């Protein structure tokens, strides 16, 4: 690990035992996160994005989840080897998470102030009165009007956007090193989405917090992230700086995702919106060779026989035979 690396995931494998068989939800994922960096993780539903990040905080029930390999190194310490006491110090304190649906993440029976106080009292040891004042300050910081009154209300009295602001306040209350945002704008309208993303960007820069942003929206990645990891069928197929990948995508799956984004620079009727053919494979019965090969327009003979090794160049990684010299022998 380099001095500036705060989190390193090495060959992480998270599988699930089911009646149908072993689901390889995450199967050999590796990436790093540096101080102050925002990393985007993109891919279709079921690609393993959320499972990867739930694994970082060990929030998956075991069983059925199995961490069958790899390491998750936070400042050099392997989270997968930590005991419950060590995990409590990490969760919500050093590494925080914003979940997809704030309504199901907040306790409907507790006032907002009590939910924020709980985090502050547990991790920072604040007395209840001081934690209550801090909770009001945090609500004001995330743009909730009349925070002293709103702090005494319940989650159902807030709009979706306001509930998400509460989740951001809770997640950043302890000034964590890492914020994991799992599709934080999924259930919000476009205008509120932009406000929430601006808020996350401003607050994390102010606090110096590193961010892992899970999203389907490539526009969000382009606007807020430094690096991006593209996931497909439980693996990262392309990884590197956002500008490089958007300008020169190497993996056919990344190319397909970018081609499927609506463009405003085309005339009406010019250019039909692209759709990647086929569907992702079953994670119980993965094909031999490259998992994307059945949907790929550029597949080579070797693609159906062997999964491609990673091709690395200038800080980028791509798991595709098209960029590997061994492909000529296939």
């Amino acid at each position: 690990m380099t001095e500036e690396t705060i989190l390193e995931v090495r060959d992480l494998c998270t599988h699930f035992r089911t009646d149908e068989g072993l689901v390889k939800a995450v199967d050999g994922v590796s990436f790093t996160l540096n101080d102050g960096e925002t990393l985007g993780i993109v891919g279709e539903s079921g690609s393993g994005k959320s499972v990867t990040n739930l694994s970082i905080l060990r929030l998956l029930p075991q069983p059925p989840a199995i961490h069958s390999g790899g390491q998750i190194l936070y400042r050099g310490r392997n989270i997968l080897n930590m005991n419950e006491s060590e995990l409590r110090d990490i969760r919500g304190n050093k590494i925080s998470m914003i979940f997809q649906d704030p309504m199901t993440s907040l306790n409907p029976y507790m006032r907002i102030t009590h939910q924020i106080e709980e985090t502050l009292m547990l991790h920072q040891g604040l007395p209840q009165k001081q934690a209550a004042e801090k909770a009001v300050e945090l609500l004001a910081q995330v743009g909730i009007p009349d925070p002293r009154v709103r702090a005494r209300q319940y989650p159902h009295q807030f709009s979706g956007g306001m509930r998400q602001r509460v989740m951001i306040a809770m997640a950043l209350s302890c000034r964590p090193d890492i914020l994991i945002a799992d599709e934080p704008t999924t259930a919000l309208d476009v205008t509120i989405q932009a406000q929430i993303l601006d808020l996350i960007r401003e607050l994390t820069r102010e606090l110096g917090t590193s961010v892992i942003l899970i999203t389907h929206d490539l526009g969000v990645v382009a606007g807020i992230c430094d690096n991006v990891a593209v996931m497909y069928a439980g693996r990262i197929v392309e990884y590197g700086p956002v500008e490089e990948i958007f300008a020169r995508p190497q993996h056919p799956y990344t190319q397909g995702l970018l081609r499927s984004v609506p463009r405003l620079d085309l005339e009406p009727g010019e250019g039909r919106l692209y759709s990647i053919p086929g569907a992702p494979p079953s994670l119980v019965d993965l094909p031999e060779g490259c998992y994307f090969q059945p949907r790929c327009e550029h597949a080579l003979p070797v693609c159906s026989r062997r999964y491609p090794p990673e091709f690395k160049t200038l800080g980028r990684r791509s798991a595709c035979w098209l960029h590997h010299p061994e492909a000529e022998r296939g």
Side-chain angles (χ1 to χ4, degrees), residues 141-318:
Q141 189 176 13
V142 297
I144 291 181
D146 205 357
R148 195 167 296 278
V149 173
R150 300 307 298 269
R152 300 290 300 168
Q153 296 179 338
Y154 293 89
H156 72 271
Q157 296 175 281
F158 286 69
S159 67
M162 287 298 177
R163 285 195 292 267
Q164 198 61 288
R165 288 174 184 268
V166 171
M167 290 300 300
I168 294 170
M170 291 177 63
L172 296 178
S173 61
C174 296
R175 304 176 72 92
D177 290 333
I178 300 170
L179 173 67
I180 300 173
D182 188 357
E183 302 199 36
T185 60
T186 296
L188 308 177
D189 64 57
V190 175
T191 303
I192 304 301
Q193 284 183 22
Q195 294 176 5
I196 294 298
L197 290 170
D198 286 343
L199 180 62
I200 292 174
R201 179 166 46 205
E202 291 169 9
L203 291 177
T204 53
R205 284 179 180 173
E206 180 183 328
L207 300 173
T209 300
S210 302
V211 180
I212 298 175
L213 178 66
I214 307 167
T215 181
H216 288 92
D217 192 333
L218 291 170
V220 169
V221 171
I224 199 173
C225 297
D226 302 303
N227 291 300
V228 59
V230 182
M231 290 194 69
Y232 185 79
R235 295 190 177 186
I236 292 177
V237 296
E238 189 160 3
Y239 178 94
V242 166
E243 296 85 354
E244 289 290 324
I245 287 181
F246 273 63
R248 288 174 292 278
Q250 293 180 338
H251 197 282
Y253 179 61
T254 310
Q255 295 169 5
L257 289 178
L258 291 171
R259 286 173 63 192
S260 65
V261 176
R263 293 173 54 182
L264 298 178
D265 60 340
L266 299 177
E267 296 294 329
E270 180 184 351
R272 186 175 179 178
L273 191 63
Y274 179 76
S275 175
I276 300 175
S282 166
L283 297 179
V284 177
D285 186 23
L286 290 165
E288 291 187 21
C290 175
Y291 300 159
F292 188 64
Q293 180 268 335
R295 307 175 69 186
C296 183
E297 300 174 350
H298 310 287
L300 301 170
V302 69
C303 297
S304 62
R305 299 196 303 271
R306 294 168 56 196
Y307 193 88
E310 283 192 331
F311 179 75
K312 301 179 181 180
T313 177
L314 300 176
R316 295 184 60 176
R317 298 176 0 217
S318 177

Side-chain angles (χ1 to χ4, degrees), residues 48-201:
K49 307 184 300 298
S50 294
V51 172
T52 296
N53 289 280
L54 289 170
S55 297
I56 291 173
L57 286 173
R58 282 177 52 188
L59 291 175
L60 296 167
Q62 300 181 58
I66 309 163
H67 297 301
S68 56
Q71 296 178 309
I72 302 169
L73 301 176
Y74 167 70
R75 297 195 180 279
R77 300 167 59 203
N78 189 0
I79 291 176
L80 294 180
N81 292 338
M82 290 182 179
N83 58 38
E84 285 301 318
S85 176
E86 292 172 316
L87 281 174
R88 279 195 298 271
D89 182 57
I90 294 289
R91 292 175 183 150
N93 189 25
K94 306 298 184 183
I95 305 176
S96 289
M97 192 165 187
I98 304 172
F99 296 93
Q100 290 188 34
D101 185 357
M103 192 59 192
T104 58
S105 302
L106 293 167
N107 189 325
Y109 298 102
M110 291 177 64
R111 298 180 193 273
I112 293 298
T113 184
H114 293 157
Q115 301 192 50
I116 302 177
E117 287 171 19
E118 187 177 45
T119 301
L120 294 167
M121 293 167 67
L122 174 64
H123 292 300
Q124 296 194 346
L126 297 182
Q128 192 275 330
K129 186 175 181 180
Q130 190 176 345
E133 285 299 316
K134 181 66 174 177
V136 173
E137 291 176 17
L138 288 165
L139 292 179
Q141 189 176 13
V142 297
I144 291 181
D146 205 357
R148 195 167 296 278
V149 173
R150 300 307 298 269
R152 300 290 300 168
Q153 296 179 338
Y154 293 89
H156 72 271
Q157 296 175 281
F158 286 69
S159 67
M162 287 298 177
R163 285 195 292 267
Q164 198 61 288
R165 288 174 184 268
V166 171
M167 290 300 300
I168 294 170
M170 291 177 63
L172 296 178
S173 61
C174 296
R175 304 176 72 92
D177 290 333
I178 300 170
L179 173 67
I180 300 173
D182 188 357
E183 302 199 36
T185 60
T186 296
L188 308 177
D189 64 57
V190 175
T191 303
I192 304 301
Q193 284 183 22
Q195 294 176 5
I196 294 298
L197 290 170
D198 286 343
L199 180 62
I200 292 174
R201 179 166 46 205

